[in-house]
Amino acid sequence: MCPLCISTAALAVAGATSTGGLAAILARRLGARKRPKRMPAPKDRAIDARASEPERRMNMRPNEIVSREDWLTARRALLAKEKELTRLRDRLAAERRALPWVKVEKEYVFDGPNGKETLADLFARRSQLFVKHFMFGPGWKEGCVGCSLEVDHVEGLLVHLEQRDVTYAAVSRAPLAEIEAFRKRMGWRFKWVSSFASDFNYDFHVSFRPEDVRHGKVDYNFEARDFMIEELSGDSVFYKDAAGDVFHTYSTYGRGGEEFLGIYRYLDVTPKGRDETGPRHDLSDWVRHHDRYGAGGSVEPTGRYVAAEASDPCCDAEPSRSLSER
């Protein structure tokens, strides 16, 4: 998932647990509940009321210190909310599975390590296919940092997904040779194919032709949005029946990809939370390709890594521009 996608719906509170629409539903159902009061800040450490939440977190002070009995009272109150959220997530998951399907009539052909493969071939003898729309365009030297973080979670899951009749594959528009070079560098084993010669990325609204952006808008995340970059990310699910027919069952884009970022589930329960304190208050503040931590550099809003000693080593195809310039 690219930082750009996250930035389109950034957290209102940096480091807060993100549950999307579920959180809103939960808030309506449960209503506001009194939170344990915190210790007053000493006057010399008082926080400016106008300060942003990230600025406040940078001046983090201890929560209220209480007895074990009082802590259990507060924890049990929170547990009631967590259980309600779990039940809501179960119901939402059931609604996802109950969505109507669309039969895929067009034959998409990809370039893979073993030659040409159709969308039906990617299932690899299973009936369910999870596709990562990996943000990696032609001419890029490496893929999106956010997408790389997402697929880093997959390596240990592959054997378990396959036991549940699910095949995982990534699809990018970069030519296969560029994909293979980056995949080898990162040490990934999952299936990754190129859609360079097909309409797949365009039909699933993660890549955009010049004519698509003529009016400055593109169809992304099921609505018209301002154009920012030619490649975006997402995740799609397909089903193949016994007759070999393929159906599109689900897609998610933007912050929907957070569902597959397990690291956030860990960070969200720690005292500092996501600790994304700037400049953009999303994963681009800290995430790097897993072989780049400690190397300096930065990540642009487009998800491209920029080395400390270079202006833009990632992508020779197009100069990198800020969101305000796009």
Side-chain angles (χ1 to χ4, degrees), residues 150-170:
E150 182 178 327
V151 301
D152 273 339
H153 290 74
V154 172
E155 287 296 299
L157 296 177
L158 291 174
V159 63
H160 304 290
L161 287 172
E162 292 168 0
Q163 289 300 312
R164 303 312 300 156
D165 194 30
V166 178
T167 296
Y168 183 96

Side-chain angles (χ1 to χ4, degrees), residues 13 27 45 50 72 89 118 123 138 155-156 206 256 279 282-283 322:
V13 178
R45 296 180 62 198
R50 295 169 297 179
L72 285 172
R89 289 178 66 88
T118 66
F123 283 79
E155 287 296 299
V206 289
D282 60 35
L283 61 78
S322 69

Side-chain angles (χ1 to χ4, degrees), residues 142 152 182 185-186 288-295:
E142 56 192 3
D152 273 339
F182 182 52
R185 169 189 145 191
M186 301 302 284
R288 300 293 182 266
H289 295 113
H290 63 236
D291 61 352
R292 279 253 174 77
Y293 284 108

Side-chain angles (χ1 to χ4, degrees), residues 20-318:
L22 283 174
I25 296 171
L26 185 59
R28 289 196 298 269
R29 288 177 62 91
L30 299 181
R33 296 189 180 182
K34 186 176 180 181
R35 300 177 66 181
K37 67 179 181 179
R38 295 170 181 256
M39 294 174 63
K43 289 185 179 180
D44 61 343
R45 296 180 62 198
I47 303 172
D48 186 341
R50 295 169 297 179
S52 68
E53 183 64 20
E55 290 171 332
R56 297 185 187 196
R57 287 181 175 275
M58 289 179 71
N59 297 296
M60 185 177 177
R61 59 195 29 76
N63 291 27
E64 182 182 11
I65 307 302
V66 299
S67 67
R68 173 60 58 175
E69 291 74 18
D70 288 344
W71 182 88
L72 285 172
T73 298
R75 180 64 188 93
R76 286 166 180 152
L78 180 62
L79 179 60
K81 293 183 178 182
E82 290 176 335
K83 288 184 175 181
E84 178 64 9
L85 177 58
T86 298
R87 289 189 286 269
L88 287 170
R89 289 178 66 88
D90 288 344
R91 291 200 289 272
L92 181 59
E95 289 183 27
R96 285 193 187 112
R97 294 191 296 271
L99 278 172
W101 297 354
V102 177
K103 186 175 181 180
V104 179
E105 303 284 1
K106 185 183 292 188
E107 182 173 89
Y108 297 105
V109 179
F110 307 97
D111 290 321
N114 300 318
K116 301 292 184 181
E117 297 184 74
T118 66
L119 182 61
D121 292 333
L122 296 185
F123 283 79
R125 301 182 305 280
R126 300 181 186 90
S127 69
Q128 301 173 104
L129 174 67
F130 185 105
V131 167
K132 170 59 187 172
H133 301 289
F134 197 113
M135 191 173 159
F136 189 10
W140 297 20
K141 292 182 179 178
E142 56 192 3
C144 162
V145 171
C147 292
S148 298
L149 175 66
E150 182 178 327
V151 301
D152 273 339
H153 290 74
V154 172
E155 287 296 299
L157 296 177
L158 291 174
V159 63
H160 304 290
L161 287 172
E162 292 168 0
Q163 289 300 312
R164 303 312 300 156
D165 194 30
V166 178
T167 296
Y168 183 96
V171 177
S172 299
R173 241 179 30 88
L176 183 63
E178 295 174 8
I179 289 174
E180 285 295 294
F182 182 52
R183 194 245 296 269
K184 182 178 180 180
R185 169 189 145 191
M186 301 302 284
W188 292 326
R189 298 173 296 116
F190 55 82
K191 184 89 167 186
W192 196 351
V193 297
S194 170
S195 62
F196 181 77
S198 88
D199 294 331
F200 184 79
N201 275 42
Y202 301 116
D203 290 350
F204 285 88
H205 306 289
V206 289
S207 296
F208 309 100
R209 301 181 178 93
E211 56 267 30
D212 296 330
V213 301
R214 186 172 295 124
H215 303 293
K217 297 282 187 179
V218 294
D219 183 357
Y220 182 68
N221 205 14
F222 311 106
E223 63 182 6
R225 296 195 170 196
D226 292 337
F227 170 71
M228 294 182 179
I229 189 172
E230 290 81 4
E231 305 289 331
L232 287 173
S233 64
D235 302 272
S236 292
V237 180
F238 301 88
Y239 180 81
K240 184 167 70 172
D241 66 14
D245 292 325
V246 174
F247 302 87
H248 175 215
T249 68
Y250 181 74
S251 284
T252 189
Y253 307 94
R255 283 192 65 197
E258 283 189 15
E259 289 291 303
F260 315 112
L261 291 182
I263 187 171
Y264 274 158
R265 305 289 80 79
Y266 289 91
L267 294 178
D268 285 345
V269 301
T270 63
K272 289 186 178 180
R274 301 184 183 186
D275 205 21
E276 293 170 343
T277 55
R280 284 182 291 274
H281 312 306
D282 60 35
L283 61 78
S284 66
D285 293 338
W286 65 277
V287 173
R288 300 293 182 266
H289 295 113
H290 63 236
D291 61 352
R292 279 253 174 77
Y293 284 108
S298 61
V299 175
E300 295 187 338
T302 58
R304 299 172 177 178
Y305 172 77
V306 180
E309 69 279 4
S311 58
D312 188 0
C314 301
C315 312
D316 297 331
E318 178 191 10

